[in-house]
Amino acid sequence: MEVLWVTRHGRMFEGRVLLLLVLFLWIPTQVVVGRTRATITNSTTSSAPRVLRVGVLFTLNSIIGRSAKPALMAAFEDVNADSSVLPGIRLEVILHDTNCSGFVGTMEALQLMEDEVVAAIGPQSSGIAHVISHVVNELHVPLVSFGATDPSLSSLQYPYFVRSTQSDHYQMYAIADLVDYYRWREVIAIYVDDDNGRNGISVLGDALSKKRAKISYKAAFPPGALKKDISDLLNGVNLMESRVFILHVNPETFLNIFSIADKLGMMNSGYVWIATDALASTLDSLEPVDPNTMNLLQGILVLRHHTPDTNEKKSFLSRLKRLKTKETPSFNSYALYAYDTVWLVARALDAFLKKGSVVSFSSDPKLQDTNGSMLHLQSLRVFNDGPTFLETILSTNFTGLTGTVQFDIERNRIHPAYDILNIGGSGMRRVGYWSNYSGLSVVTPEILYKKPPNTSTSSQQLYGVIWPGETAAKPRGWVFPNNGKPLRIAVPNRVSYKEFVSKDKNPPGVRGYCIDVFEAAINLLPYPVPREYILFGPGNRNPSYDDLASQVALNNYDAAVGDVTIVPNRTRFLDFTQPYMESGLVVVVPVKEIKSSPWSFLKPFTAQMWCVTGAFFIFVGTVVWILEHRHNPEFRGRPRKQLMTVFWFSFSTMFFSHRENTVSGLGRLVLIIWLFVVLIINSSYTASLTSILTVQQLSSQIEGIDSLISGTQPIGIQEGSFARKYLTEELNIQPSRIVTLKNMEAYIDALEKGPKDGGVVAVVDELPYIEILMSSTNCKFRTVGQEFTKSGWGFAFQRDSPLAVDMSTAILQLSENGDLQKIHDKWLLKRDCSAPDSDADLNKLSLGSFWGLFLISGIACLLALVTFFIRVLCQYTKFSPEPEQDDEEISPNRPTKSKGLFRSTTSFRDLIYFVDKKEKEIKDILRQKSKKRRRSLSSDGQSSSPT
């Protein structure tokens, strides 16, 4: 293979020489070169060229260039040696050195285009790629770069730019996932102020915002900055709050930055450094790395392009390391991407020609010298089928050393992935991987691609990291700014309810329940918090809490501590801690004592319940009388007496004072069940009556917030409260009805006067204030209805303040260990004035609450009656008296007419007479009848025997 290497060997050019070179020598030189290379120049029109030229453009003497050059040369050799790709065609490479200069890179690109190359590989610099992309756009020559990672190069502005490596767009999203994984909320970005640095950090900001994190400060320095400039920059960021530094600089700059950071003490415990892939490329190229260099980098997290660990990759790297002319001790991932880039161009050319396309160039009428110009722009020719070749490149799909080489619709490589490395000891240790397919994982991306994608928070996983300072504990990621300023805490200067917060003569100048909770939480933090309390408000009235929140958001204060309610409009621009007190708006009204009704004793039960209960008393008494009548003389006698016995026994069971004893088993069973029912009814009646009599001592025309909404009477609120905005904007209550009350005395006066005397019908305020009001007035006021908002009090901090998270954790600890309740009892333990329900009808007991008991009692009664009558019928069927004798035995004094009726066994009256007899008499008659029958049978037997 013939390689034409055109490069600038001298690196220090005077500005005058460069200018003369561009204006006078460039075009003539190219004409001469073009003539001397006439034997290898591509034909203007050729259907089957024997030689195709590919330009290569990058900085040779750089960390990336020293690794990429041998890989490129090896790739061209392998392509020309492979007969399956471009058979009969030889690729020639024309190599140009951009010398790390945008100006020189542009000149070299123009020279390269005069050689009518079908594709240009490179450059490695994103800044140079931006400039050259305009050239290739005009000439329709695809520019395939293995090193330009600027995300903006994928824009539609540069259609002929093809990136064969990974875009920094994905690397920045990988860093954002790392920041979110460790729950950091602010980072400081340190970067080179060039196209690649600015655009990369811009994408990082977008990625962090999706994780509710942000770049708190962008620390940029110019390309080629001196050590003094870098030192000043690091000194400045070291005074800031965030301790998470994202480093996105050129490979040549990394070691200088970390050397200065080490001298400034910024590589110690508490600091976090996350470096982009350029650092990994630097270290991979320097293997084995000097121990002194590794000592500077201990604890750093660094990303590196992920490439599959295949045998082909290992074999190729071994081949490069055996080269005698190599300029680097080892090779980084850009060598692999450079190798695959050559194969990408070769395979695309092969497919391009097999489709019948032709390599041809033509003049561009827009590139004409005018006004005597000596630039000779007509020497630049347009690749006629460049658009077709570009589409072929983007549709190429093969597996190379870097994995699958395939492009998505945005012209980016598919399956972007990075290794997450932790520098420690004498090398780098992989702690996980990142891919846009499944996020952070300890499993290689190649395995994850075979499974469904999963980017849920629970699936994100990394191995343990050794952080700067040789600690395994995750750094907090922030400190208080080292600028000598304490935390500025705004405290509402209240004139009422000073139990919560008030001015104090003794340090720290404020006191109250809220202050004690805040101080207790601060003392639980594992780091000191210098703070200064500043009173907010005029002191003669309560301040506006919305104004207080706005002042914190405007950075006039760092936090607000007090009875600050967490409401939606404040959470839009502030971060609140976990609520340390529950709160909500309630309605409070005065209490008026009224007399009880003389018929209050009837209210515990509904009318239906009274009727059913009375009916069951009579029913059960009747059943017991029936069951006891044949056995118990107390249930016998004249009809009038027996009727009185039934009623007396029935209702005396209500008080368990019945004097009649039950002797039958069935009667006792029914009575036991009924006494249990009576016990339940009595207990329920007593409890309900007590509740009703108590409720009837409290009365108000307002029953809750709905009554206030539908009314027209004035409503009182606390001055400075959010209740005004809520009532007028959310509940549409007329602002003219709202009366602002200054303090507790104003509350009491307005409620006692009432709306007729210039007061208010009710007060709407938060529950903690109302509890103090009711307790302080011996429960002269009560709440009605339920809380109609649910919120709480919290400490407010500026947006994304890390202190809010730590304080929330501290508040939870106070709640768990009981200290929060102790502080509450110290300041707010008062008399309980919980108001019972004011609706007496709700306390009435209906049949629905007792029908089960009545059902059980009724079934027991019916079963007992059925059993009784079956037994009686069985006795009655055994009783069959003789016509005359039995009649005399049963009723010797009965009239003759009655005796005739008794002989009729089907007579109902006879049955009633039988049932009315005592059980003992019936049994005696049945025994006599049985003996008589036995004697009769014995006589009949003797008379029938033979004499």
Side-chain angles (χ1 to χ4, degrees), residues 152-409:
S152 66
L153 287 169
S154 298
S155 65
L156 299 177
Q157 184 182 4
Y158 308 112
Y160 282 86
F161 177 84
V162 179
R163 194 194 329 266
S164 59
T165 186
Q166 302 295 353
S167 169
D168 275 346
H169 172 90
Y170 301 108
Q171 182 168 212
M172 296 306 162
Y173 272 82
I175 293 175
D177 282 349
L178 273 174
V179 172
D180 182 63
Y181 178 79
Y182 289 111
R183 299 294 184 265
W184 296 315
R185 288 293 169 257
E186 291 187 6
V187 303
I188 293 177
I190 303 175
Y191 61 98
V192 178
D193 194 10
D194 58 9
D195 290 331
N196 186 55
R198 284 190 303 273
N199 295 327
I201 296 303
S202 176
V203 173
L204 176 62
D206 295 339
L208 288 173
S209 65
K210 296 179 180 179
K211 305 291 184 180
R212 288 204 63 187
K214 68 176 183 179
I215 300 175
S216 60
Y217 184 73
K218 296 180 180 180
F221 58 88
L226 301 176
K227 287 187 176 182
K228 181 182 181 302
D229 299 329
I230 297 175
S231 179
D232 293 341
L233 182 73
L234 294 181
N235 267 314
V237 299
N238 196 31
L239 296 176
M240 298 179 182
E241 182 177 278
S242 178
R243 283 292 182 264
V244 181
F245 300 111
I246 309 300
L247 200 55
H248 184 46
V249 298
N250 299 326
E252 292 79 8
T253 313
F254 272 106
L255 298 183
N256 287 336
I257 291 178
F258 285 116
S259 176
I260 297 171
D262 183 62
K263 294 178 181 178
L264 296 176
M266 299 175 67
M267 302 301 297
N268 297 327
S269 178
Y271 289 86
V272 177
W273 291 89
I274 301 177
T276 52
D277 66 284
L279 176 58
S281 300
T282 302
L283 298 178
D284 287 340
S285 300
L286 298 177
E287 288 185 354
V289 185
D290 180 60
N292 294 328
T293 300
M294 294 304 296
N295 289 336
L296 295 175
L297 308 176
Q298 297 297 302
I300 296 174
L301 281 180
V302 57
L303 277 68
R304 179 175 63 191
H305 292 123
H306 173 74
T307 55
D309 194 13
T310 60
N311 293 329
E312 291 80 4
K313 169 185 168 182
K314 296 177 182 178
S315 176
F316 178 72
L317 290 177
S318 298
R319 171 184 170 187
L320 292 182
K321 291 179 180 179
R322 291 194 300 268
L323 293 175
K324 297 181 180 180
T325 59
K326 63 181 181 179
E327 300 177 8
T328 179
S330 187
F331 296 88
N332 53 44
S333 61
Y334 288 98
L336 305 177
Y337 283 105
Y339 183 85
D340 281 352
T341 301
V342 175
W343 275 100
L344 170 64
V345 173
R347 291 177 183 274
L349 278 172
D350 184 60
F352 172 78
L353 294 175
K354 286 180 179 179
K355 290 190 298 185
S357 300
V358 177
V359 177
S360 61
F361 295 85
S362 60
S363 299
D364 187 347
K366 293 184 292 184
L367 298 177
Q368 299 293 332
D369 295 321
T370 57
N371 299 327
S373 172
M374 298 182 64
L375 294 178
H376 299 284
L377 295 178
Q378 64 272 16
S379 61
L380 300 176
R381 301 169 69 81
V382 178
F383 185 8
N384 294 328
D385 280 346
T388 304
F389 183 42
L390 175 65
E391 293 178 1
T392 306
I393 291 176
L394 295 176
S395 61
T396 301
N397 181 5
F398 69 98
T399 300
L401 299 179
T402 57
T404 301
V405 180
Q406 186 180 353
F407 298 93
D408 58 21
I409 58 174

Side-chain angles (χ1 to χ4, degrees), residues 31 73 116 191 201 254 259-260 300 347 360 365 425 505 561 575 611 691 736 750 758 783 830 839 911:
V31 175
M73 296 302 107
E116 296 184 350
Y191 61 98
I201 296 303
F254 272 106
S259 176
I260 297 171
I300 296 174
R347 291 177 183 274
S360 61
K505 296 180 180 179
V561 172
D575 278 353
C611 294
S691 177
S736 58
T783 59
K830 303 292 182 180
D839 191 351
L911 178 61

Side-chain angles (χ1 to χ4, degrees), residues 374-515:
M374 298 182 64
L375 294 178
H376 299 284
L377 295 178
Q378 64 272 16
S379 61
L380 300 176
R381 301 169 69 81
V382 178
F383 185 8
N384 294 328
D385 280 346
T388 304
F389 183 42
L390 175 65
E391 293 178 1
T392 306
I393 291 176
L394 295 176
S395 61
T396 301
N397 181 5
F398 69 98
T399 300
L401 299 179
T402 57
T404 301
V405 180
Q406 186 180 353
F407 298 93
D408 58 21
I409 58 174
E410 296 180 353
R411 294 180 288 126
N412 290 318
R413 286 276 298 266
I414 66 169
H415 297 326
Y418 291 88
D419 297 336
I420 312 296
L421 308 175
N422 180 211
I423 300 178
S426 59
M428 295 184 290
R429 178 176 61 94
R430 184 187 292 113
V431 295
Y433 305 89
W434 179 91
S435 68
N436 71 329
Y437 189 77
S438 293
L440 299 172
S441 174
V442 295
V443 182
T444 58
E446 289 73 30
I447 296 177
L448 295 176
Y449 294 149
K450 301 175 183 178
K451 302 177 182 180
N454 184 7
T455 56
S456 63
T457 303
S458 60
S459 67
Q460 305 300 288
Q461 186 179 3
L462 292 175
Y463 291 122
V465 173
I466 304 299
W467 303 97
E470 298 183 357
T471 176
K474 186 201 79 172
R476 191 171 66 249
W478 66 277
V479 295
F480 284 97
N482 189 19
N483 52 20
K485 295 182 180 179
L487 197 69
R488 300 164 300 169
I489 301 175
V491 177
N493 191 8
R494 297 190 58 87
V495 297
S496 62
Y497 299 108
K498 294 187 177 182
E499 294 90 341
F500 297 109
V501 62
S502 64
K503 183 179 180 181
D504 190 24
K505 296 180 180 179
N506 301 321
V510 288
R511 63 192 298 269
Y513 168 74
C514 302
I515 301 301

